[in-house]
Amino acid sequence: MAGSTSYGDVPPYNTPRGGPGYRTPTGPRSVAAGRLWATGAATAVVAALVAVVATMFVRGVLGIAVFAPEAAGAWGDATTGYLAAWAAAGAVAATGLLHLLLLTVARPRAFFTWIAGLVTVALALLPFTTDLTLAAKLASAAVFLAIGGTVTGLLSGTAYSVAPDRSQEGW
C-alpha cells in the first residue's frame, strides 16, 4: 500500500504535482530579456542618482566629509562621479546575475535577493576597515546601503514580470 492509497484529502505521494492534467515544464524558463535589460538600464540610472543624492545629503546636510575632502563642498569631487559610475556598473552586473539566475535556478528571485543583499552588506562593512572617523564610516556605510538596497529592490521586483513563475500558470 506504499503510496497508492489516498487518506482523505491527502493525495498519494506518487501522484504527479498538480493532479489530473498536470504537465511537466519543458525547456528553460522564458525570460523577456529586452524588458529585463531595459529595467537594468533604468536601475543603473537610478542607482547612479541615489549615489549622487545620498552623497550630497551626507556632505551638504549632515556636514560629513565622505568620498572627498571637506573643501570639495556638497558635491564632492571626482570621486562622487566615480561612485555614481560604480553604482551604475553594479546595477548592470546585478542585471546580468539576475538574468543568469532566471535561466538556470529554481527560485531565482530568492537567490538574487540573498546574493545582492550579502554584497550590499559587504560593501557597507568596507568603510569600517579603514581609518576614517566614525561619522565618515557610518555615513559611507549608509550611502552603500542606499545604493545596494535600491538595486536589490528594483531588480528583485522585476523577476516576476520578466520571467513568470510557471507553477502559477498551471505549467
Side-chain angles (χ1 to χ4, degrees), residues 1 15 18 52 72 83 117 125 157 169:
M1 297 223 171
T15 300
V52 170
L83 179 64
L125 291 174
E169 300 171 352

Side-chain angles (χ1 to χ4, degrees), residues 53-151:
V53 170
T55 301
M56 284 180 56
F57 176 76
V58 168
R59 292 181 64 79
V61 176
L62 300 180
I64 302 170
V66 293
F67 308 120
E70 190 172 342
W75 281 98
D77 59 9
T79 56
T80 304
Y82 294 142
L83 179 64
W86 279 110
V92 171
T95 304
L97 172 66
L98 179 58
H99 196 170
L100 177 68
L101 293 172
L102 285 168
L103 292 172
T104 58
V105 302
R107 302 185 61 217
R109 184 178 179 198
F111 281 104
F112 175 78
T113 303
W114 270 100
I115 293 168
L118 289 170
V119 168
T120 299
V121 169
L123 287 172
L125 291 174
L126 193 60
F128 295 98
T129 65
T130 66
D131 60 350
L132 297 172
T133 65
L134 180 60
K137 289 177 184 180
L138 291 171
S140 299
V143 171
F144 290 140
L145 286 172
I147 295 166
T150 299
V151 171

